[in-house]
Amino acid sequence: MTTDASARKQAPAPLNGVNTPALFATIDVVKNQPQLGAFQFRAAGEWLGGTQSRTTMSDFSGAGGEHSHKATYTANSDHPMVLCGADNAPTPVEYVLHALAACITAGIGNIAAARGITLHSVGSSLEGDIDLRGILGLSNEVRNGFSAVRVSFSVKGDAPDAKLQEIVRQACARSAVFDILTNGVPVSIKTGN
Amino acid sequence: MTTDASARKQAPAPLNGVNTPALFATIDVVKNQPQLGAFQFRAAGEWLGGTQSRTTMSDFSGAGGEHSHKATYTANSDHPMVLCGADNAPTPVEYVLHALAACITAGIGNIAAARGITLHSVGSSLEGDIDLRGILGLSNEVRNGFSAVRVSFSVKGDAPDAKLQEIVRQACARSAVFDILTNGVPVSIKTGN
């Protein structure tokens, strides 16, 4: 979830599958009514046994109202066999990599369209290092999560390399997930029954 | 991805769909050969046009070798229509909530099994607040990502509430994704073409 407000005086035509005029209109609406920018995304998780679970994502609020996705989306997760799971789905940490790739890639599409640059392809390759001595409870000095994440983008489009690289930089600078991962977020946990 | 090393002297029988003896054996192996705890998870993203992308998750390294998931898993992501996307898939930030729910829920399953407690159900409800003035480039004071995430767990099992709540606490204390989100992670971005 990334976009770009620069140069919005001259909204270019739709490009890269992005409805650029609608995007620029949205930016102007939120600029004039900042309270419409307040969104809340939601998810509901359900344990399926072992290390497997399913998450349902169906509704969210924002732009002053309630919204439903056009379908109720689900995502499953599991641990791999080498970690004593059934490997019926990707691991939770792989979904973190997915969220990061998807967020920056959407931003690249939006920003290129806003700048009038036609994209041919955007590929990304992500690696996250994790020492399992953390989550296995074998060390209090080893963190539980990734110690480092590396992302490599390959962008092809009708612009010089420097312009394409600048689009990736701007996409990161306005990426929700890049911000969440690099700066952290307060998480509160409540337990009932 | 969460587990629990406590009380591993007496490995209980498999429970909750968790192969507890295998889990305890894994913990002992990594305890004796810490280098086997070094894992790397990977993902490859591909832009599908507009704000939509697909991520492929197929292989990873760890426990001293290379591994492939038993299937090549994919996840799609998109922006909702109110954000000028096609709403063909969940948003990247909803996948962040999914990853968090899935990680802690897997840990609850593992830890309950390790403690010999039968679970009946684990449900979770997650909310993430985000002010889109950040990603829309309308404010440098509003962050791009979630300002706050709230998670509510409902756990039912053959143990008093206090024991079930302690399992949730321990699952958070050893969750990879909870750590990533609350403490952040260094992310490096490289761009080629």
Side-chain angles (χ1 to χ4, degrees):
Chain A
M1 295 176 55
T2 316
T3 184
D4 184 30
S6 66
R8 69 179 175 282
K9 294 293 175 198
Q10 306 166 302
L15 189 65
N16 298 327
V18 176
N19 186 341
T20 321
L23 179 61
F24 282 42
T26 298
I27 292 169
D28 274 341
V29 166
V30 177
K31 186 179 183 183
N32 293 324
Q33 298 177 267
Q35 73 277 13
L36 298 182
F39 274 63
Q40 181 183 90
F41 288 94
R42 303 166 188 146
E46 178 195 5
W47 180 58
L48 300 178
T51 53
Q52 198 179 349
S53 68
R54 174 178 299 134
T55 301
T56 301
M57 296 154 279
S58 60
D59 59 78
F60 56 96
S61 68
E66 287 288 324
H67 307 273
S68 292
H69 283 300
K70 68 184 190 189
T72 295
Y73 294 118
T74 62
N76 281 25
S77 191
D78 200 359
H79 283 196
M81 291 179 192
V82 70
L83 292 173
C84 310
D87 195 25
N88 283 325
T91 63
V93 293
E94 287 171 300
Y95 277 111
V96 170
L97 300 180
H98 160 61
L100 181 62
C103 193
I104 300 174
T105 300
I108 292 170
N110 273 346
I111 294 167
R115 296 182 180 183
I117 294 169
T118 299
L119 293 178
H120 301 154
S121 66
V122 181
S124 60
S125 174
L126 298 94
E127 297 172 346
D129 301 328
I130 184 167
D131 184 335
L132 297 192
R133 285 181 294 163
I135 64 170
L136 293 174
L138 292 171
S139 169
N140 286 324
E141 278 132 50
V142 173
R143 69 177 294 177
N144 297 315
F146 287 137
S147 56
V149 170
R150 292 173 296 282
V151 189
S152 177
F153 277 100
S154 170
V155 181
K156 296 188 193 303
D158 290 342
D161 284 356
K163 281 205 171 185
L164 297 175
Q165 289 180 22
E166 170 53 28
I167 290 171
V168 175
R169 272 193 295 275
Q170 181 63 21
C172 292
R174 286 296 177 194
S175 163
V177 178
F178 183 83
D179 172 31
I180 290 167
L181 296 191
T182 55
N183 295 315
V185 57
V187 178
S188 71
I189 307 279
K190 205 175 70 176
T191 313
N193 59 0
Chain B
M1 296 176 55
T2 315
T3 184
D4 184 29
S6 66
R8 68 179 175 283
K9 295 291 174 198
Q10 306 167 301
L15 190 64
N16 297 329
V18 176
N19 186 340
T20 322
L23 178 61
F24 283 42
T26 299
I27 292 170
D28 275 340
V29 167
V30 177
K31 186 180 183 182
N32 293 324
Q33 298 177 267
Q35 72 279 12
L36 297 182
F39 274 63
Q40 180 182 90
F41 288 94
R42 302 165 189 147
E46 178 195 5
W47 179 58
L48 300 178
T51 53
Q52 198 179 348
S53 67
R54 174 177 299 134
T55 301
T56 301
M57 296 154 280
S58 60
D59 60 78
F60 56 96
S61 68
E66 288 287 323
H67 307 273
S68 292
H69 283 299
K70 68 184 189 189
T72 294
Y73 294 118
T74 61
N76 281 25
S77 192
D78 199 358
H79 282 197
M81 291 180 193
V82 69
L83 292 173
C84 311
D87 194 26
N88 283 325
T91 63
V93 294
E94 287 171 301
Y95 278 110
V96 170
L97 300 179
H98 160 60
L100 181 63
C103 192
I104 299 173
T105 300
I108 291 169
N110 273 345
I111 293 167
R115 296 182 180 183
I117 295 169
T118 299
L119 293 179
H120 301 153
S121 67
V122 182
S124 59
S125 175
L126 298 93
E127 298 172 344
D129 300 327
I130 184 167
D131 184 335
L132 296 192
R133 285 181 294 164
I135 64 170
L136 292 175
L138 292 172
S139 169
N140 286 324
E141 278 131 50
V142 174
R143 69 176 295 178
N144 297 315
F146 286 137
S147 56
V149 170
R150 292 173 296 282
V151 190
S152 177
F153 278 100
S154 170
V155 182
K156 296 188 193 303
D158 288 342
D161 285 355
K163 280 206 173 187
L164 298 175
Q165 289 180 21
E166 171 51 28
I167 290 171
V168 175
R169 272 192 296 273
Q170 182 62 21
C172 293
R174 286 297 177 193
S175 163
V177 178
F178 183 83
D179 172 30
I180 290 169
L181 295 192
T182 55
N183 294 314
V185 57
V187 177
S188 70
I189 307 278
K190 205 175 69 175
T191 313
N193 59 1

